[in-house]
Every structure is written in structure tokens, then in C-alpha cells.
Amino acid sequence: MSGPYVIRGSVSLPEAELVWRFSRSSGPGGQHVNTTDTQVELRFDLAATDALPDVWKRRALERLADTGRLIDGVVSVRASEHRSQWRNRETAAVRLAALLAEATAPPPKPRRPTRVPRRINERRLREKKQRSDTKRGRSGQGWG
């Protein structure tokens, strides 16, 4: 593997808590695909890990519960795009790290509603009226 997969900051996926499963990929590929286990399924027990801060863990469990990726506190990711098991392992690990980074991100700041300034609204309406007058002027005699 190419080293620790950083989720955010100094927090990364612990290699010891990752569970790998390999199987044959589906689809075309000839004799090679029929004999090698290139599809990768990577599982990570999010509910039992101590690698993530408690706040992040709670946030991730809440957000991933609705996606179907979380089953009994375990997050799973699959990769079978590449013909090589090694590249599929890399893809799955990067995908898991990205998924956890997104799931543990802090919630966005609430939007503060703003009003359009009066002068800007008046200018918009004035320009709209001018455009309307220009187009109305084209419908007279000699334009057809």
C-alpha cells in the first residue's frame, strides 16, 4: 500500500482496522479475469474504532446511516475498475478515506439571508424596461 490514508488533519485510517476481501470481477476480460481475484471490498468498523475523535465518529455514523454504506456500524467500499488487484486496493482505500472525510466534515454555517439593495433592484427594473421598449419598437411597420 502507498502509506497512511489521511482523512483530515493528522487523523488517518489505521491499517490494522481495515478488513480486505477479494473476489473475481464481473464483466469482460477473458481468461485473466476468470482466474484472478481483482475486485476489492474494503470494510472499516466505524462504530468500534478509536482512531477517530468521538465527535467525528458520531457525525459519520449519523450521516452514513441513510446512505446504505453503513451496516451494523461497518462501512464498506468496493472497487473493480482496474485489472490489477493492487490498483483496486489503492482505489478502495482512497475512496474510503474520501467518504469518511466527507462524513466527518463539520456542518456548513447557516446562511444569513440578505436583502438586495434598493438601488440595485431599481437599476435592474429600469434596464428591463429599456430592453422591453427596444423590443416593442421593433414590432412596428417595416420590420417584417
Side-chain angles (χ1 to χ4, degrees):
M1 297 303 295
S2 70
Y5 294 96
V6 177
I7 296 173
R8 193 170 49 251
S10 62
V11 180
S12 60
L13 287 173
E15 195 71 38
E17 294 184 24
L18 300 179
V19 179
W20 301 91
R21 220 176 98 213
F22 308 102
S23 60
R24 294 194 180 119
S25 293
S26 62
Q31 295 170 341
H32 173 74
V33 120
N34 297 333
T35 59
T36 55
D37 294 336
T38 55
Q39 178 172 295
V40 174
E41 182 180 359
L42 176 58
R43 305 178 115 224
F44 178 67
D45 194 348
L46 184 59
T49 188
D50 291 326
L52 297 176
D54 289 335
V55 177
W56 287 18
K57 195 181 345 182
R58 271 196 310 275
R59 196 180 295 154
L61 287 169
E62 286 173 13
R63 288 183 182 169
L64 293 174
D66 301 333
T67 63
R69 287 195 184 270
L70 190 70
I71 300 168
D72 296 330
V74 178
V75 182
S76 78
V77 173
R78 279 191 177 171
S80 63
E81 299 85 50
H82 306 290
R83 289 182 58 172
S84 145
Q85 185 188 96
W86 182 260
R87 288 181 65 192
N88 282 332
R89 285 178 69 138
E90 289 287 318
T91 303
V94 168
R95 202 175 286 167
L96 179 63
L99 180 71
L100 289 175
E102 186 179 331
T104 59
K109 290 182 184 177
R111 182 186 175 279
R112 277 185 33 216
T114 57
R115 285 186 51 216
V116 177
R118 186 177 187 178
R119 287 182 66 92
I120 291 176
N121 200 30
E122 287 173 355
R123 184 180 74 194
R124 181 183 62 84
L125 293 173
R126 189 172 54 251
E127 289 172 357
K128 200 170 171 180
K129 179 110 173 79
Q130 287 173 350
R131 186 77 178 142
S132 171
D133 291 343
T134 303
K135 288 188 172 191
R136 193 179 307 115
R138 292 180 186 156
S139 65
Q141 291 289 342
W143 285 95

